[in-house]
PDB file of all heavy atoms in Angstrom:
ATOM      1  N   LEU A 185     -97.612-123.048  82.973  1.00  0.00           N
ATOM      2  CA  LEU A 185     -96.573-123.069  81.961  1.00  0.00           C
ATOM      3  C   LEU A 185     -97.314-122.870  80.640  1.00  0.00           C
ATOM      4  O   LEU A 185     -98.111-123.678  80.117  1.00  0.00           O
ATOM      5  CB  LEU A 185     -95.800-124.394  82.042  1.00  0.00           C
ATOM      6  CG  LEU A 185     -94.791-124.662  80.979  1.00  0.00           C
ATOM      7  CD1 LEU A 185     -93.749-123.659  80.914  1.00  0.00           C
ATOM      8  CD2 LEU A 185     -94.228-126.084  81.000  1.00  0.00           C
ATOM      9  N   VAL A 186     -96.915-121.821  79.965  1.00  0.00           N
ATOM     10  CA  VAL A 186     -97.434-121.501  78.724  1.00  0.00           C
ATOM     11  C   VAL A 186     -96.382-121.865  77.644  1.00  0.00           C
ATOM     12  O   VAL A 186     -95.234-121.410  77.651  1.00  0.00           O
ATOM     13  CB  VAL A 186     -97.814-119.973  78.458  1.00  0.00           C
ATOM     14  CG1 VAL A 186     -98.231-119.733  76.958  1.00  0.00           C
ATOM     15  CG2 VAL A 186     -98.945-119.610  79.389  1.00  0.00           C
ATOM     16  N   LEU A 187     -96.712-122.792  76.651  1.00  0.00           N
ATOM     17  CA  LEU A 187     -95.786-123.107  75.660  1.00  0.00           C
ATOM     18  C   LEU A 187     -96.256-122.354  74.383  1.00  0.00           C
ATOM     19  O   LEU A 187     -97.312-122.659  73.897  1.00  0.00           O
ATOM     20  CB  LEU A 187     -95.696-124.608  75.436  1.00  0.00           C
ATOM     21  CG  LEU A 187     -95.058-125.360  76.632  1.00  0.00           C
ATOM     22  CD1 LEU A 187     -95.076-126.888  76.450  1.00  0.00           C
ATOM     23  CD2 LEU A 187     -93.628-124.922  76.952  1.00  0.00           C
ATOM     24  N   THR A 188     -95.440-121.442  73.767  1.00  0.00           N
ATOM     25  CA  THR A 188     -95.795-120.773  72.709  1.00  0.00           C
ATOM     26  C   THR A 188     -95.973-121.666  71.507  1.00  0.00           C
ATOM     27  O   THR A 188     -96.874-121.403  70.589  1.00  0.00           O
ATOM     28  CB  THR A 188     -94.762-119.588  72.384  1.00  0.00           C
ATOM     29  OG1 THR A 188     -93.570-120.169  72.186  1.00  0.00           O
ATOM     30  CG2 THR A 188     -94.747-118.568  73.442  1.00  0.00           C
ATOM     31  N   ALA A 205     -99.923-126.529  85.281  1.00  0.00           N
ATOM     32  CA  ALA A 205    -100.737-126.752  84.140  1.00  0.00           C
ATOM     33  C   ALA A 205    -100.033-126.217  82.883  1.00  0.00           C
ATOM     34  O   ALA A 205     -99.507-125.117  82.968  1.00  0.00           O
ATOM     35  CB  ALA A 205    -102.096-126.076  84.347  1.00  0.00           C
ATOM     36  N   VAL A 206    -100.168-126.969  81.720  1.00  0.00           N
ATOM     37  CA  VAL A 206     -99.438-126.512  80.576  1.00  0.00           C
ATOM     38  C   VAL A 206    -100.434-126.101  79.542  1.00  0.00           C
ATOM     39  O   VAL A 206    -101.323-126.809  79.126  1.00  0.00           O
ATOM     40  CB  VAL A 206     -98.619-127.730  79.965  1.00  0.00           C
ATOM     41  CG1 VAL A 206     -97.786-127.259  78.725  1.00  0.00           C
ATOM     42  CG2 VAL A 206     -97.719-128.326  81.032  1.00  0.00           C
ATOM     43  N   TYR A 207    -100.343-124.865  79.015  1.00  0.00           N
ATOM     44  CA  TYR A 207    -101.307-124.255  78.084  1.00  0.00           C
ATOM     45  C   TYR A 207    -100.673-124.246  76.717  1.00  0.00           C
ATOM     46  O   TYR A 207     -99.718-123.744  76.424  1.00  0.00           O
ATOM     47  CB  TYR A 207    -101.533-122.830  78.557  1.00  0.00           C
ATOM     48  CG  TYR A 207    -102.180-122.686  79.882  1.00  0.00           C
ATOM     49  CD1 TYR A 207    -101.267-122.720  81.082  1.00  0.00           C
ATOM     50  CD2 TYR A 207    -103.535-122.654  80.115  1.00  0.00           C
ATOM     51  CE1 TYR A 207    -101.848-122.673  82.355  1.00  0.00           C
ATOM     52  CE2 TYR A 207    -104.072-122.604  81.485  1.00  0.00           C
ATOM     53  CZ  TYR A 207    -103.202-122.549  82.542  1.00  0.00           C
ATOM     54  OH  TYR A 207    -103.694-122.548  83.765  1.00  0.00           O
ATOM     55  N   VAL A 208    -101.474-124.986  75.778  1.00  0.00           N
ATOM     56  CA  VAL A 208    -101.029-125.218  74.429  1.00  0.00           C
ATOM     57  C   VAL A 208    -102.317-124.982  73.600  1.00  0.00           C
ATOM     58  O   VAL A 208    -103.388-125.407  73.969  1.00  0.00           O
ATOM     59  CB  VAL A 208    -100.564-126.652  74.275  1.00  0.00           C
ATOM     60  CG1 VAL A 208    -100.236-126.898  72.766  1.00  0.00           C
ATOM     61  CG2 VAL A 208     -99.270-126.843  75.169  1.00  0.00           C
ATOM     62  N   GLN A 209    -102.158-124.475  72.383  1.00  0.00           N
ATOM     63  CA  GLN A 209    -103.225-124.277  71.477  1.00  0.00           C
ATOM     64  C   GLN A 209    -103.464-125.698  70.914  1.00  0.00           C
ATOM     65  O   GLN A 209    -102.475-126.465  70.580  1.00  0.00           O
ATOM     66  CB  GLN A 209    -102.801-123.331  70.326  1.00  0.00           C
ATOM     67  CG  GLN A 209    -102.925-121.908  70.724  1.00  0.00           C
ATOM     68  CD  GLN A 209    -104.256-121.351  71.024  1.00  0.00           C
ATOM     69  OE1 GLN A 209    -105.237-121.731  70.461  1.00  0.00           O
ATOM     70  NE2 GLN A 209    -104.288-120.487  72.013  1.00  0.00           N
ATOM     71  N   ARG A 210    -104.778-126.071  70.760  1.00  0.00           N
ATOM     72  CA  ARG A 210    -105.167-127.477  70.274  1.00  0.00           C
ATOM     73  C   ARG A 210    -104.520-127.619  68.872  1.00  0.00           C
ATOM     74  O   ARG A 210    -104.117-128.761  68.589  1.00  0.00           O
ATOM     75  CB  ARG A 210    -106.691-127.458  70.132  1.00  0.00           C
ATOM     76  CG  ARG A 210    -107.193-128.916  69.818  1.00  0.00           C
ATOM     77  CD  ARG A 210    -108.636-129.002  69.756  1.00  0.00           C
ATOM     78  NE  ARG A 210    -109.290-128.472  70.947  1.00  0.00           N
ATOM     79  CZ  ARG A 210    -109.543-129.181  71.992  1.00  0.00           C
ATOM     80  NH1 ARG A 210    -109.146-130.549  72.047  1.00  0.00           N
ATOM     81  NH2 ARG A 210    -110.117-128.713  73.105  1.00  0.00           N
ATOM     82  N   ALA A 211    -104.543-126.569  68.038  1.00  0.00           N
ATOM     83  CA  ALA A 211    -103.921-126.685  66.658  1.00  0.00           C
ATOM     84  C   ALA A 211    -102.526-127.231  66.737  1.00  0.00           C
ATOM     85  O   ALA A 211    -102.025-127.969  65.921  1.00  0.00           O
ATOM     86  CB  ALA A 211    -103.982-125.492  65.871  1.00  0.00           C
ATOM     87  N   GLU A 212    -101.765-126.711  67.732  1.00  0.00           N
ATOM     88  CA  GLU A 212    -100.285-127.046  67.855  1.00  0.00           C
ATOM     89  C   GLU A 212    -100.203-128.467  68.339  1.00  0.00           C
ATOM     90  O   GLU A 212     -99.402-129.315  67.934  1.00  0.00           O
ATOM     91  CB  GLU A 212     -99.589-126.102  68.787  1.00  0.00           C
ATOM     92  CG  GLU A 212     -98.110-126.291  68.904  1.00  0.00           C
ATOM     93  CD  GLU A 212     -97.359-125.966  67.701  1.00  0.00           C
ATOM     94  OE1 GLU A 212     -97.953-125.495  66.662  1.00  0.00           O
ATOM     95  OE2 GLU A 212     -96.151-126.078  67.673  1.00  0.00           O
ATOM     96  N   TRP A 213    -101.029-128.912  69.352  1.00  0.00           N
ATOM     97  CA  TRP A 213    -101.145-130.211  69.997  1.00  0.00           C
ATOM     98  C   TRP A 213    -101.384-131.223  68.842  1.00  0.00           C
ATOM     99  O   TRP A 213    -100.668-132.333  68.703  1.00  0.00           O
ATOM    100  CB  TRP A 213    -102.106-130.295  71.049  1.00  0.00           C
ATOM    101  CG  TRP A 213    -102.332-131.560  71.790  1.00  0.00           C
ATOM    102  CD1 TRP A 213    -103.253-132.517  71.444  1.00  0.00           C
ATOM    103  CD2 TRP A 213    -101.472-132.129  72.747  1.00  0.00           C
ATOM    104  NE1 TRP A 213    -103.017-133.540  72.278  1.00  0.00           N
ATOM    105  CE2 TRP A 213    -102.040-133.297  73.106  1.00  0.00           C
ATOM    106  CE3 TRP A 213    -100.322-131.609  73.424  1.00  0.00           C
ATOM    107  CZ2 TRP A 213    -101.399-134.137  73.998  1.00  0.00           C
ATOM    108  CZ3 TRP A 213     -99.780-132.415  74.444  1.00  0.00           C
ATOM    109  CH2 TRP A 213    -100.340-133.652  74.669  1.00  0.00           C
ATOM    110  N   ASP A 214    -102.364-130.965  68.038  1.00  0.00           N
ATOM    111  CA  ASP A 214    -102.841-131.834  67.020  1.00  0.00           C
ATOM    112  C   ASP A 214    -101.671-132.001  65.984  1.00  0.00           C
ATOM    113  O   ASP A 214    -101.456-133.182  65.531  1.00  0.00           O
ATOM    114  CB  ASP A 214    -104.114-131.429  66.286  1.00  0.00           C
ATOM    115  CG  ASP A 214    -105.380-131.508  67.211  1.00  0.00           C
ATOM    116  OD1 ASP A 214    -105.298-132.177  68.212  1.00  0.00           O
ATOM    117  OD2 ASP A 214    -106.332-130.915  66.892  1.00  0.00           O
ATOM    118  N   VAL A 237    -102.078-131.034  80.540  1.00  0.00           N
ATOM    119  CA  VAL A 237    -102.144-130.145  79.416  1.00  0.00           C
ATOM    120  C   VAL A 237    -103.606-129.597  79.291  1.00  0.00           C
ATOM    121  O   VAL A 237    -104.596-130.279  79.170  1.00  0.00           O
ATOM    122  CB  VAL A 237    -101.712-130.951  78.058  1.00  0.00           C
ATOM    123  CG1 VAL A 237    -101.816-129.966  76.846  1.00  0.00           C
ATOM    124  CG2 VAL A 237    -100.344-131.490  78.205  1.00  0.00           C
ATOM    125  N   VAL A 238    -103.620-128.239  79.104  1.00  0.00           N
ATOM    126  CA  VAL A 238    -104.879-127.449  78.869  1.00  0.00           C
ATOM    127  C   VAL A 238    -104.866-127.093  77.482  1.00  0.00           C
ATOM    128  O   VAL A 238    -103.989-126.198  76.989  1.00  0.00           O
ATOM    129  CB  VAL A 238    -104.960-126.218  79.892  1.00  0.00           C
ATOM    130  CG1 VAL A 238    -106.235-125.483  79.532  1.00  0.00           C
ATOM    131  CG2 VAL A 238    -104.867-126.701  81.321  1.00  0.00           C
ATOM    132  N   LEU A 239    -105.748-127.656  76.709  1.00  0.00           N
ATOM    133  CA  LEU A 239    -105.807-127.335  75.279  1.00  0.00           C
ATOM    134  C   LEU A 239    -106.705-126.207  74.989  1.00  0.00           C
ATOM    135  O   LEU A 239    -107.815-126.074  75.494  1.00  0.00           O
ATOM    136  CB  LEU A 239    -106.278-128.570  74.447  1.00  0.00           C
ATOM    137  CG  LEU A 239    -105.372-129.818  74.534  1.00  0.00           C
ATOM    138  CD1 LEU A 239    -106.052-130.941  73.674  1.00  0.00           C
ATOM    139  CD2 LEU A 239    -103.923-129.424  74.014  1.00  0.00           C
ATOM    140  N   LEU A 240    -106.181-125.216  74.302  1.00  0.00           N
ATOM    141  CA  LEU A 240    -106.892-123.888  74.066  1.00  0.00           C
ATOM    142  C   LEU A 240    -107.288-123.856  72.580  1.00  0.00           C
ATOM    143  O   LEU A 240    -106.639-124.291  71.657  1.00  0.00           O
ATOM    144  CB  LEU A 240    -105.978-122.739  74.438  1.00  0.00           C
ATOM    145  CG  LEU A 240    -105.444-122.653  75.798  1.00  0.00           C
ATOM    146  CD1 LEU A 240    -104.426-121.610  76.007  1.00  0.00           C
ATOM    147  CD2 LEU A 240    -106.531-122.549  76.827  1.00  0.00           C
ATOM    148  N   ASP A 241    -108.491-123.229  72.410  1.00  0.00           N
ATOM    149  CA  ASP A 241    -109.002-122.961  71.018  1.00  0.00           C
ATOM    150  C   ASP A 241    -109.116-121.554  70.819  1.00  0.00           C
ATOM    151  O   ASP A 241    -110.202-120.888  70.939  1.00  0.00           O
ATOM    152  CB  ASP A 241    -110.338-123.738  70.795  1.00  0.00           C
ATOM    153  CG  ASP A 241    -110.219-125.192  70.886  1.00  0.00           C
ATOM    154  OD1 ASP A 241    -109.449-125.695  70.041  1.00  0.00           O
ATOM    155  OD2 ASP A 241    -110.857-125.858  71.711  1.00  0.00           O
ATOM    156  N   GLY A 242    -107.951-120.855  70.654  1.00  0.00           N
ATOM    157  CA  GLY A 242    -107.963-119.341  70.444  1.00  0.00           C
ATOM    158  C   GLY A 242    -107.632-118.595  71.685  1.00  0.00           C
ATOM    159  O   GLY A 242    -106.830-119.199  72.541  1.00  0.00           O
ATOM    160  N   GLU A 243    -107.998-117.421  71.782  1.00  0.00           N
ATOM    161  CA  GLU A 243    -107.527-116.484  72.821  1.00  0.00           C
ATOM    162  C   GLU A 243    -108.039-116.891  74.188  1.00  0.00           C
ATOM    163  O   GLU A 243    -109.227-117.428  74.305  1.00  0.00           O
ATOM    164  CB  GLU A 243    -108.087-115.083  72.477  1.00  0.00           C
ATOM    165  CG  GLU A 243    -107.459-114.061  73.382  1.00  0.00           C
ATOM    166  CD  GLU A 243    -107.524-112.641  72.740  1.00  0.00           C
ATOM    167  OE1 GLU A 243    -107.715-112.526  71.560  1.00  0.00           O
ATOM    168  OE2 GLU A 243    -107.312-111.616  73.667  1.00  0.00           O
ATOM    169  N   ALA A 244    -107.305-116.732  75.190  1.00  0.00           N
ATOM    170  CA  ALA A 244    -107.654-117.163  76.565  1.00  0.00           C
ATOM    171  C   ALA A 244    -106.796-116.421  77.515  1.00  0.00           C
ATOM    172  O   ALA A 244    -105.690-116.007  77.344  1.00  0.00           O
ATOM    173  CB  ALA A 244    -107.477-118.774  76.710  1.00  0.00           C
ATOM    174  N   GLU A 245    -107.417-116.328  78.753  1.00  0.00           N
ATOM    175  CA  GLU A 245    -106.665-115.658  79.904  1.00  0.00           C
ATOM    176  C   GLU A 245    -106.186-116.791  80.754  1.00  0.00           C
ATOM    177  O   GLU A 245    -106.894-117.687  81.246  1.00  0.00           O
ATOM    178  CB  GLU A 245    -107.637-114.701  80.632  1.00  0.00           C
ATOM    179  CG  GLU A 245    -106.855-113.946  81.696  1.00  0.00           C
ATOM    180  CD  GLU A 245    -107.725-112.771  82.207  1.00  0.00           C
ATOM    181  OE1 GLU A 245    -108.766-113.077  82.753  1.00  0.00           O
ATOM    182  OE2 GLU A 245    -107.281-111.565  82.035  1.00  0.00           O
ATOM    183  N   VAL A 246    -104.904-116.768  81.033  1.00  0.00           N
ATOM    184  CA  VAL A 246    -104.234-117.737  81.932  1.00  0.00           C
ATOM    185  C   VAL A 246    -104.416-117.406  83.360  1.00  0.00           C
ATOM    186  O   VAL A 246    -104.907-118.187  84.163  1.00  0.00           O
ATOM    187  CB  VAL A 246    -102.671-117.936  81.549  1.00  0.00           C
ATOM    188  CG1 VAL A 246    -102.047-118.955  82.437  1.00  0.00           C
ATOM    189  CG2 VAL A 246    -102.591-118.385  80.064  1.00  0.00           C
ATOM    190  N   VAL A 250    -102.802-111.791  82.047  1.00  0.00           N
ATOM    191  CA  VAL A 250    -101.911-112.520  81.123  1.00  0.00           C
ATOM    192  C   VAL A 250    -102.709-113.403  80.257  1.00  0.00           C
ATOM    193  O   VAL A 250    -103.472-114.318  80.626  1.00  0.00           O
ATOM    194  CB  VAL A 250    -100.907-113.520  82.028  1.00  0.00           C
ATOM    195  CG1 VAL A 250    -100.095-114.387  81.064  1.00  0.00           C
ATOM    196  CG2 VAL A 250    -100.176-112.730  82.993  1.00  0.00           C
ATOM    197  N   ARG A 251    -102.735-113.059  78.946  1.00  0.00           N
ATOM    198  CA  ARG A 251    -103.494-113.699  77.942  1.00  0.00           C
ATOM    199  C   ARG A 251    -102.691-114.340  76.867  1.00  0.00           C
ATOM    200  O   ARG A 251    -101.526-113.836  76.608  1.00  0.00           O
ATOM    201  CB  ARG A 251    -104.407-112.669  77.247  1.00  0.00           C
ATOM    202  CG  ARG A 251    -105.464-112.083  78.157  1.00  0.00           C
ATOM    203  CD  ARG A 251    -106.129-110.929  77.698  1.00  0.00           C
ATOM    204  NE  ARG A 251    -105.231-109.841  77.391  1.00  0.00           N
ATOM    205  CZ  ARG A 251    -104.870-108.864  78.340  1.00  0.00           C
ATOM    206  NH1 ARG A 251    -105.214-109.037  79.633  1.00  0.00           N
ATOM    207  NH2 ARG A 251    -104.050-107.921  78.108  1.00  0.00           N
ATOM    208  N   VAL A 252    -103.223-115.306  76.226  1.00  0.00           N
ATOM    209  CA  VAL A 252    -102.592-115.959  74.963  1.00  0.00           C
ATOM    210  C   VAL A 252    -103.567-115.644  73.781  1.00  0.00           C
ATOM    211  O   VAL A 252    -104.711-115.596  74.010  1.00  0.00           O
ATOM    212  CB  VAL A 252    -102.319-117.389  75.171  1.00  0.00           C
ATOM    213  CG1 VAL A 252    -101.267-117.671  76.273  1.00  0.00           C
ATOM    214  CG2 VAL A 252    -103.494-118.210  75.412  1.00  0.00           C
ATOM    215  N   PHE A 253    -102.997-115.561  72.672  1.00  0.00           N
ATOM    216  CA  PHE A 253    -103.739-115.385  71.477  1.00  0.00           C
ATOM    217  C   PHE A 253    -103.050-116.137  70.298  1.00  0.00           C
ATOM    218  O   PHE A 253    -101.753-116.193  70.272  1.00  0.00           O
ATOM    219  CB  PHE A 253    -104.052-113.987  71.073  1.00  0.00           C
ATOM    220  CG  PHE A 253    -102.868-113.089  70.758  1.00  0.00           C
ATOM    221  CD1 PHE A 253    -102.348-112.999  69.525  1.00  0.00           C
ATOM    222  CD2 PHE A 253    -102.426-112.322  71.869  1.00  0.00           C
ATOM    223  CE1 PHE A 253    -101.354-112.142  69.333  1.00  0.00           C
ATOM    224  CE2 PHE A 253    -101.280-111.505  71.645  1.00  0.00           C
ATOM    225  CZ  PHE A 253    -100.743-111.381  70.318  1.00  0.00           C
ATOM    226  N   PRO A 254    -103.699-116.712  69.408  1.00  0.00           N
ATOM    227  CA  PRO A 254    -103.047-117.488  68.300  1.00  0.00           C
ATOM    228  C   PRO A 254    -102.109-116.565  67.481  1.00  0.00           C
ATOM    229  O   PRO A 254    -102.531-115.413  67.118  1.00  0.00           O
ATOM    230  CB  PRO A 254    -104.196-117.850  67.378  1.00  0.00           C
ATOM    231  CG  PRO A 254    -105.371-117.992  68.389  1.00  0.00           C
ATOM    232  CD  PRO A 254    -105.163-116.850  69.276  1.00  0.00           C
ATOM    233  N   PRO A 260     -98.236-124.257  63.028  1.00  0.00           N
ATOM    234  CA  PRO A 260     -99.681-124.148  62.920  1.00  0.00           C
ATOM    235  C   PRO A 260    -100.408-123.670  64.031  1.00  0.00           C
ATOM    236  O   PRO A 260    -101.432-123.030  64.050  1.00  0.00           O
ATOM    237  CB  PRO A 260    -100.210-125.568  62.495  1.00  0.00           C
ATOM    238  CG  PRO A 260     -99.008-126.172  61.851  1.00  0.00           C
ATOM    239  CD  PRO A 260     -97.774-125.589  62.641  1.00  0.00           C
ATOM    240  N   GLY A 261     -99.912-123.979  65.203  1.00  0.00           N
ATOM    241  CA  GLY A 261    -100.649-123.586  66.543  1.00  0.00           C
ATOM    242  C   GLY A 261     -99.866-122.706  67.396  1.00  0.00           C
ATOM    243  O   GLY A 261    -100.032-122.714  68.601  1.00  0.00           O
ATOM    244  N   ALA A 262     -98.961-121.981  66.870  1.00  0.00           N
ATOM    245  CA  ALA A 262     -98.104-121.037  67.736  1.00  0.00           C
ATOM    246  C   ALA A 262     -99.111-119.976  68.444  1.00  0.00           C
ATOM    247  O   ALA A 262    -100.170-119.571  67.895  1.00  0.00           O
ATOM    248  CB  ALA A 262     -97.089-120.246  67.032  1.00  0.00           C
ATOM    249  N   GLN A 263     -98.793-119.554  69.593  1.00  0.00           N
ATOM    250  CA  GLN A 263     -99.512-118.559  70.352  1.00  0.00           C
ATOM    251  C   GLN A 263     -98.602-117.560  71.009  1.00  0.00           C
ATOM    252  O   GLN A 263     -97.453-117.875  71.340  1.00  0.00           O
ATOM    253  CB  GLN A 263    -100.387-119.251  71.361  1.00  0.00           C
ATOM    254  CG  GLN A 263     -99.604-119.925  72.479  1.00  0.00           C
ATOM    255  CD  GLN A 263    -100.694-120.618  73.437  1.00  0.00           C
ATOM    256  OE1 GLN A 263    -101.726-120.472  73.501  1.00  0.00           O
ATOM    257  NE2 GLN A 263     -99.979-121.514  74.347  1.00  0.00           N
ATOM    258  N   ALA A 264     -99.026-116.329  70.936  1.00  0.00           N
ATOM    259  CA  ALA A 264     -98.278-115.233  71.633  1.00  0.00           C
ATOM    260  C   ALA A 264     -98.828-114.986  73.059  1.00  0.00           C
ATOM    261  O   ALA A 264     -99.994-115.400  73.356  1.00  0.00           O
ATOM    262  CB  ALA A 264     -98.351-113.993  70.865  1.00  0.00           C
ATOM    263  N   VAL A 265     -98.042-114.431  73.882  1.00  0.00           N
ATOM    264  CA  VAL A 265     -98.372-114.164  75.264  1.00  0.00           C
ATOM    265  C   VAL A 265     -98.447-112.598  75.433  1.00  0.00           C
ATOM    266  O   VAL A 265     -97.465-111.907  75.305  1.00  0.00           O
ATOM    267  CB  VAL A 265     -97.572-114.833  76.226  1.00  0.00           C
ATOM    268  CG1 VAL A 265     -98.011-114.661  77.629  1.00  0.00           C
ATOM    269  CG2 VAL A 265     -97.324-116.343  75.912  1.00  0.00           C
TER     270      VAL A 265
END
Side-chain angles (χ1 to χ4, degrees):
L185 173 59
V186 174
L187 295 176
T188 60
V206 184
Y207 300 85
V208 177
Q209 290 291 324
R210 186 181 306 274
E212 186 72 357
W213 180 260
D214 291 346
V237 177
V238 179
L239 297 179
L240 305 172
D241 294 301
E243 189 157 344
E245 188 167 62
V246 177
V250 179
R251 294 168 295 281
V252 297
F253 61 88
Q263 61 184 350
V265 183

